[in-house]
Amino acid sequence: MKIPNSVVRRYGALHLPASLMLSGALLAWVGAASAADTLDTICRTTEECQAQVARLQGTVKGEATSALSKQQDVFYWFGRINMASTVVHAEQGIIPASLAGRIARGVSYSVDQAAQPGGKRPTDVLQVEKIITDQVGPQGTLIHTGRSRQDIHSTLNAAQLRLEVLDYADALDAVRKRLIDLAGKHVDTYVPAYTNGVQAMPISYAHYLLAFADSFERDATRIREAYARLNLSPMGTAVLANSSWSVNRERLAALLGFDGLIVNSLDAGQISTYDVPLEATAIASSTAIRVGAFLQDVHVQYHQTRPWLLLGANNTYTSSAMPQKANPGVIQNTRAKATDVVASAQAVTLRAHNVTPGMIDYKNTASASGAKTFVLGVEMLQQFDGVLGALQIDPARALEELESDWITSMELAETLQRTHGVPFRVGHHFASEIVVYARNQNLRPKDFPYAQAQRIYAEAGKKYQLAQSELPLDEATFQATLSPANMVRTRTGTGGPQPAEVRRMLAAAGAALVRDQAWVKARRSRLMEAEASLNRSFIELTRKP
């Protein structure tokens, strides 16, 4: 049988065992091994060429965490804050009733003109104020009563950050769903788990995937907890000590979608701008470190000549010089993006470090206009989701790897203790001696001679002065004890890899995901309700004479 070139390129013909060459497993390896080649594609423009490479290498790059986040830039929030200030000041009489309609129409013009040909989207609030006063005269400055650039920018930074955090939560939940769905398919797929970089014990791949899904669930919890501190309004505190006008801060907060106030006026604009972004970006950094850890595991397995975990067709690319290579760009680029997220979060910390309150250095570092932590974070999660979708797991090859080493030797000691009261250290010594003998003789667990096990146990019994030095396990039990699948299935206790417990954890993870998805949806609905409420109140003002 001729070996397909795509398989030879990835694995090398000499490494393919005859059993695989003659089995249906080869067909799966062929599909997984096919590397894409940009020589086989046609791109007519620079954009098409870049898009092809991005698709092949699994990269995502954008200017914002979402289209909505991109729309809600600094100028957008100047408009929303001006609208809210107009409504609240009119309600309180700070803007006289006779001027309210005219000023509201001026504010409306400042927002609407930006969408017209030649329109302006200033990033300085006084430039926006000039657009308003050019329309309605100096009375338009009444909207600035009791406020400052300080509270305006603190408010818009918080508003932008909360949306980025919600976008991040959605991307995180998409990854969790992918992990849970993949785990559901691999409850009975047995794979090695590692400690100190060495095979330690067999588990199911579902158990492995759920460990990461559960860790990302903790991130979702952190997001919910942080959002309660994040979505509080600084608006109406002016520079840092309020003003002589009793501005209704509570009403401003509600109209702008905040759940409450940062009460202390100094804290609102000058102190909370340290810790709130630091808390939020730390969550993204923590996620990124675990994304990197997962990808390291995939990459280490991918290094092997005959891995049990591969990438699907069209998710690798050929080397420009070495024909045998199928490069896992989707893994590499996602790892790099995870590093970028960690670096960005550190930039937020460093810009805030050793800076006195009131300085601009640290105040917008987490948002789209600063270090772009969440822009990078969403891209990382989207790329990671792509890697998960490309994974191809070969259960037979994973089991073969387990059975090629002595990963179940601890089970010998535990079985002897559990079923025959043999002290664990005696059983541990017995198992260790079996492993030493087996490796010297190049023996796999399922090929180990029972007679040698009896001999080694007798020697262990003499060493530890056991009253009974005859191996208490019969041959069938001895062999079953060395089975990786048997070891996984016979685990007990909460959180173990045994199939029944994994299925229970799958259900719990799914329920937690539904809860967290509902939470994000509710937060977005709350923001939309606030937006609609402000629109209604403001439009009513614009209709006044």
Side-chain angles (χ1 to χ4, degrees):
M1 176 179 177
K2 185 178 184 298
I3 303 169
N5 289 335
S6 59
V7 177
V8 175
R9 182 167 63 235
R10 174 59 180 90
Y11 303 103
L14 295 178
H15 294 291
L16 283 173
S19 60
L20 277 177
M21 291 173 65
L22 299 175
S23 74
L26 178 59
L27 297 177
W29 282 44
V30 170
S34 299
D37 192 335
T38 50
L39 285 174
D40 298 329
T41 62
I42 299 174
C43 53
R44 293 175 293 273
T45 66
T46 299
E47 290 73 19
E48 278 190 12
C49 293
Q50 291 173 339
Q52 285 180 7
V53 172
R55 187 164 54 250
L56 179 64
Q57 299 191 6
T59 54
V60 176
K61 186 167 181 60
E63 298 174 331
T65 54
S66 64
L68 182 61
S69 180
K70 183 177 180 180
Q71 174 202 337
Q72 294 188 2
D73 59 6
V74 171
F75 176 79
Y76 169 88
W77 280 108
F78 283 161
R80 301 304 292 180
I81 291 169
N82 283 342
M83 290 167 63
S85 294
T86 304
V87 169
V88 172
H89 290 356
E91 289 174 349
Q92 292 189 260
I94 296 172
I95 295 177
S98 60
L99 294 175
R102 180 182 172 189
I103 291 174
R105 288 188 290 274
V107 171
S108 181
Y109 172 80
S110 72
V111 173
D112 295 340
Q113 61 81 34
Q116 303 304 315
K120 296 180 289 186
R121 298 181 70 86
T123 56
D124 187 289
V125 70
L126 295 185
Q127 292 176 323
V128 178
E129 186 177 289
K130 181 68 164 58
I131 295 172
I132 297 170
T133 56
D134 282 349
Q135 286 293 113
V136 302
Q139 292 85 355
T141 61
L142 289 173
I143 64 170
H144 201 63
T145 304
R147 69 182 203 182
S148 162
R149 278 197 185 100
Q150 296 290 322
D151 62 339
I152 290 172
H153 278 273
S154 295
T155 301
L156 71 86
N157 286 340
Q160 287 180 319
L161 181 57
R162 75 182 173 196
L163 180 55
E164 291 181 342
V165 167
L166 292 177
D167 289 341
Y168 185 84
D170 276 335
L172 182 67
D173 287 347
V175 165
R176 291 168 61 194
K177 185 178 188 307
R178 180 82 73 171
L179 286 167
I180 292 167
D181 289 347
L182 190 59
K185 299 175 183 177
H186 291 284
V187 174
D188 298 309
T189 297
Y190 305 116
V191 302
Y194 299 82
T195 60
N196 301 304
V198 180
Q199 277 199 34
M201 294 180 68
I203 58 173
S204 69
Y205 198 51
H207 189 247
Y208 174 89
L209 293 168
L210 284 176
F212 281 90
D214 287 353
S215 83
F216 295 141
E217 180 189 332
R218 290 193 292 275
D219 285 338
T221 300
R222 294 179 181 109
I223 287 171
R224 294 199 311 272
E225 293 170 347
Y227 191 87
R229 290 177 284 276
L230 165 62
N231 198 35
L232 298 176
S233 174
M235 197 61 214
T237 58
V239 177
L240 53 81
N242 289 357
S243 71
S244 59
W245 297 89
S246 183
V247 175
N248 189 339
R249 292 187 61 205
E250 290 77 7
R251 175 70 167 144
L252 282 170
L255 289 173
L256 294 171
F258 291 96
D259 296 325
L261 303 178
I262 299 177
V263 176
N264 184 291
S265 61
L266 177 61
D267 183 21
Q270 312 302 333
I271 309 300
S272 65
T273 45
Y274 284 105
D275 66 293
V276 172
L278 285 170
E279 179 182 14
T281 53
I283 298 171
S285 177
S286 177
T287 305
I289 288 171
R290 276 165 286 127
V291 168
F294 186 104
L295 293 171
Q296 281 281 72
D297 269 352
V298 176
H299 219 168
V300 166
Q301 180 60 215
Y302 198 87
H303 289 168
Q304 306 306 311
T305 306
R306 293 181 54 239
W308 53 263
L309 191 156
L310 289 170
L311 297 173
N314 299 320
N315 294 110
T316 60
Y317 62 92
T318 57
S319 166
S320 65
M322 294 164 282
Q324 84 283 5
K325 290 190 69 184
N327 296 318
V330 292
I331 300 174
Q332 295 162 190
N333 290 320
T334 305
R335 284 176 56 189
K337 189 61 64 70
T339 300
D340 290 342
V341 173
V342 175
S344 177
Q346 289 301 307
V348 174
T349 301
L350 291 171
R351 286 190 69 173
H353 172 65
N354 207 28
V355 177
T356 56
M359 303 302 291
I360 195 63
D361 306 45
Y362 59 93
K363 287 190 177 182
N364 65 350
T365 51
S367 71
S369 59
K372 297 191 175 182
T373 303
F374 288 100
V375 176
L376 294 167
V378 168
E379 292 172 0
M380 171 194 70
L381 291 169
Q382 290 171 342
Q383 290 179 202
F384 184 39
D385 187 64
V387 172
L388 294 172
L391 291 181
Q392 301 286 315
I393 295 92
D394 184 342
R397 173 69 191 100
L399 185 59
E400 180 188 340
E401 183 163 328
L402 285 169
E403 290 178 338
S404 68
D405 201 1
W406 286 85
I407 197 168
T408 57
S409 59
M410 189 181 81
E411 180 63 6
L412 271 178
E414 286 197 344
T415 299
L416 286 167
Q417 179 184 353
R418 187 177 64 253
T419 61
H420 293 88
V422 177
F424 179 78
R425 195 52 58 197
V426 176
H428 187 280
H429 174 77
F430 164 62
S432 297
E433 290 299 309
I434 280 185
V435 173
V436 170
Y437 180 87
R439 286 178 172 164
N440 285 337
Q441 300 299 317
N442 198 27
L443 293 170
R444 295 182 302 171
K446 63 182 180 181
D447 300 325
F448 195 86
Y450 179 66
Q452 290 297 330
Q454 291 175 306
R455 178 188 63 79
I456 292 171
Y457 187 83
E459 292 176 357
K462 290 178 183 178
K463 174 181 174 64
Y464 286 94
Q465 300 179 344
L466 295 182
Q468 173 57 264
S469 60
E470 181 180 342
L471 179 61
L473 305 177
D474 61 34
E475 185 170 1
T477 304
F478 174 76
Q479 292 297 337
T481 301
L482 294 178
S483 162
N486 181 71
M487 184 172 177
V488 174
R489 288 193 293 263
T490 57
R491 299 302 88 189
T492 62
T494 303
Q498 62 271 29
E501 178 63 4
V502 167
R503 290 189 179 94
R504 185 195 67 78
M505 290 190 289
L506 267 170
L513 175 60
V514 170
R515 175 202 65 204
D516 293 335
Q517 289 171 326
W519 179 85
V520 176
K521 184 178 180 180
R523 300 290 80 70
R524 291 189 184 278
S525 294
R526 169 73 183 86
L527 294 178
M528 290 175 64
E529 290 166 4
E531 182 179 25
S533 175
L534 174 54
N535 289 344
R536 286 193 299 270
S537 297
F538 182 76
I539 291 171
E540 185 178 338
L541 271 185
T542 64
R543 291 171 178 166
K544 290 189 174 183

